[in-house]
Amino acid sequence: MHRNRKAVPGVARARTVTIALLAAATALAGCERGSSHGPGVSPTGPGGCPAVQARARTAVTRAERTDVPWNGPTSGPAAVSGRTIVYVAQTMTNPGVAGAAQGVREAARVIGWKVRVIDGEGTPAGIQAALSEAVDLRPSGIVIGGFDPGSTAQQVARADAARIPVIGWHAVASPGPSARPRLFTNVTTSVEDVAAISAQWVVSRSRGHAGVVLFTDASIPFARHKSDLIRKGLAACPGVRLLAYENIPIPDAGSRTPREVSSLLSRFGTSWTYSVAINDLYFADAAPAFRAAGKQGSGPPFNIGAGDGDPSAFQRIDGRQYQAATVPEPLSLQGWQIVDEFNRAFSGRTASGYVTPVHISTAANSEGATTWDPSGYREAYRRIWGR
């Protein structure tokens, strides 16, 4: 026989709070990163993270536009004549570095300057030797093409002492002038914007449910910073789980990436549905391992490169061969911008402050192109220079 007892208000409230806390704890446990709930199951709703998804869709739609008008500088100093630029490349096997160098060459021909490219061949010693050679040549200006100036502090100091303007391409984490190290300016898209849109593409395309592998080169501060920001962007959606963070130096990507991809496929199987890489070249090296495992070129995993948008990346995307999208640097435009920034330096002006907006290229919007080459910049810079 059960005796009826009158509920005590304080006890009842405590019991209610306890039940609510247990329910909340259970829900939070299901949302923890690395949890094992499968695609399509999420405590936050059918899409995993509806509010985050909505913002991601809007951002991705805007970034996929190809009809964006020129929003860069329209005024500046007329062309200074008789200058020589040395472009010091981290490695010319890096398509982004090589593409920017080609843009510098093209713009220099228009403005009437000479350009020499010295390849650092991807090693610290090689890069230091290349920059030393560049300083010894006493050119009008030097480009740091895709490497950390901190690794060549002595050479950069020598250039500064010789009053040789130095401009970076992907040299430091942020676009614009730099005091330490001393750069007249650093030409790049905003790493924050590139990282954010790459993560948003995954969130939007997966509808908030993805198992992601992230490829980076942590030896390059710029790349490490980018991948850290991508991780943060992915973490905004509880239904998106980071399965692995793969640190593979770019010079080693050709030999290491196929082995690592095979291992990842063995570990994660069909849970691996998306990949983000700080550079498209990882997917060129990953393709044989995907193919050997019987993966379809059109995915999954669906792969996006958070830079640089080299021609082979566009070919993989257009052919649906183990890459679905890239966030390309407008490499030719940035080469022209580098020349324009030098012209401002030679004329005693400040840097332009221009930062190219992010863009996403897919098979649907690239129309068979092998680069992201927005319109309007050549005409704008020619008008500024009087060329």
Side-chain angles (χ1 to χ4, degrees):
M1 178 178 179
H2 298 282
R3 182 180 299 172
N4 291 327
R5 292 181 293 180
K6 184 177 180 181
V8 179
V11 172
R13 282 195 299 271
R15 184 177 299 133
T16 301
V17 170
T18 300
I19 292 170
L21 288 172
L22 286 170
T26 301
L28 286 171
C31 289
E32 287 181 358
R33 292 188 56 73
S35 59
S36 59
H37 60 73
V41 180
S42 171
T44 60
C49 48
V52 176
Q53 277 189 76
R55 291 192 295 271
R57 279 196 302 272
T58 299
V60 168
T61 299
R62 182 170 58 248
E64 288 178 341
R65 287 183 55 193
T66 58
D67 58 346
V68 180
W70 170 246
N71 67 339
T74 56
S75 63
V80 175
S81 61
R83 301 302 167 108
T84 299
I85 304 300
V86 175
Y87 185 104
V88 180
Q90 181 247 356
T91 170
M92 288 296 281
T93 62
N94 182 324
V97 173
Q102 182 56 35
V104 169
R105 286 188 179 111
E106 179 187 310
R109 284 195 296 270
V110 171
I111 204 170
W113 297 349
K114 295 179 180 179
V115 176
R116 177 171 175 179
V117 175
I118 303 177
D119 191 348
E121 299 181 345
T123 67
I127 292 167
Q128 289 170 4
L131 190 52
S132 289
E133 181 181 352
V135 176
D136 290 341
L137 290 171
R138 301 300 293 267
S140 308
I142 295 173
V143 183
I144 288 181
F147 60 89
D148 175 19
S151 67
T152 56
Q154 182 180 0
Q155 290 81 5
V156 172
R158 285 180 55 212
D160 187 43
R163 299 185 180 276
I164 302 172
V166 178
I167 289 178
W169 180 83
H170 284 215
V172 293
S174 300
S178 170
R180 295 184 180 178
R182 186 179 294 279
L183 302 175
F184 179 76
T185 195
N186 182 53
V187 175
T188 179
T189 48
S190 163
V191 66
E192 289 81 7
D193 292 347
V194 172
I197 202 66
S198 302
Q200 287 171 322
W201 182 86
V202 172
V203 171
S204 176
R205 197 183 191 286
S206 70
R207 300 184 62 191
H209 295 291
V212 184
V213 172
L214 176 57
F215 296 92
T216 191
D217 181 348
S219 70
I220 302 173
F222 182 90
R224 183 175 64 247
H225 180 51
K226 184 192 294 187
S227 56
D228 288 344
L229 291 169
I230 292 169
R231 292 170 82 169
K232 182 179 179 180
L234 295 172
C237 182
V240 174
R241 298 180 296 125
L242 183 63
L243 302 177
Y245 178 89
E246 291 295 311
N247 175 26
I248 302 174
I250 285 175
D252 300 337
S255 59
R256 284 188 52 189
T257 302
R259 297 198 305 268
E260 296 296 336
V261 167
S262 295
S263 175
L264 290 164
L265 288 169
S266 178
R267 288 167 59 194
F268 298 116
T270 57
S271 297
W272 180 7
T273 56
Y274 284 81
S275 310
V276 187
I278 56 95
N279 190 298
D280 294 301
L281 63 82
Y282 288 99
F283 299 127
D285 298 321
F290 284 131
R291 193 173 292 111
K295 292 290 183 180
Q296 296 296 312
S298 56
F302 304 100
N303 303 319
I304 182 169
D308 293 306
D310 66 276
S312 68
F314 278 83
Q315 290 163 4
R316 287 190 298 276
I317 291 165
D318 194 50
R320 293 171 173 78
Q321 289 298 304
Y322 307 104
Q323 187 168 351
T326 183
V327 184
E329 296 286 338
L331 299 172
S332 179
L333 185 163
Q334 290 175 340
W336 280 67
Q337 183 184 349
I338 288 169
V339 170
D340 182 66
E341 302 290 3
F342 273 126
N343 195 55
R344 292 169 191 270
F346 302 151
S347 303
R349 304 287 187 90
T350 58
S352 72
Y354 179 55
V355 181
T356 53
V358 293
H359 174 72
I360 297 174
S361 290
T362 66
N365 71 359
S366 64
E367 298 180 344
T370 56
T371 60
W372 167 231
D373 196 28
S375 62
Y377 68 91
R378 291 181 176 88
E379 296 80 3
Y381 283 128
R382 281 179 176 271
R383 282 193 294 269
I384 292 171
W385 303 335
R387 300 296 192 188

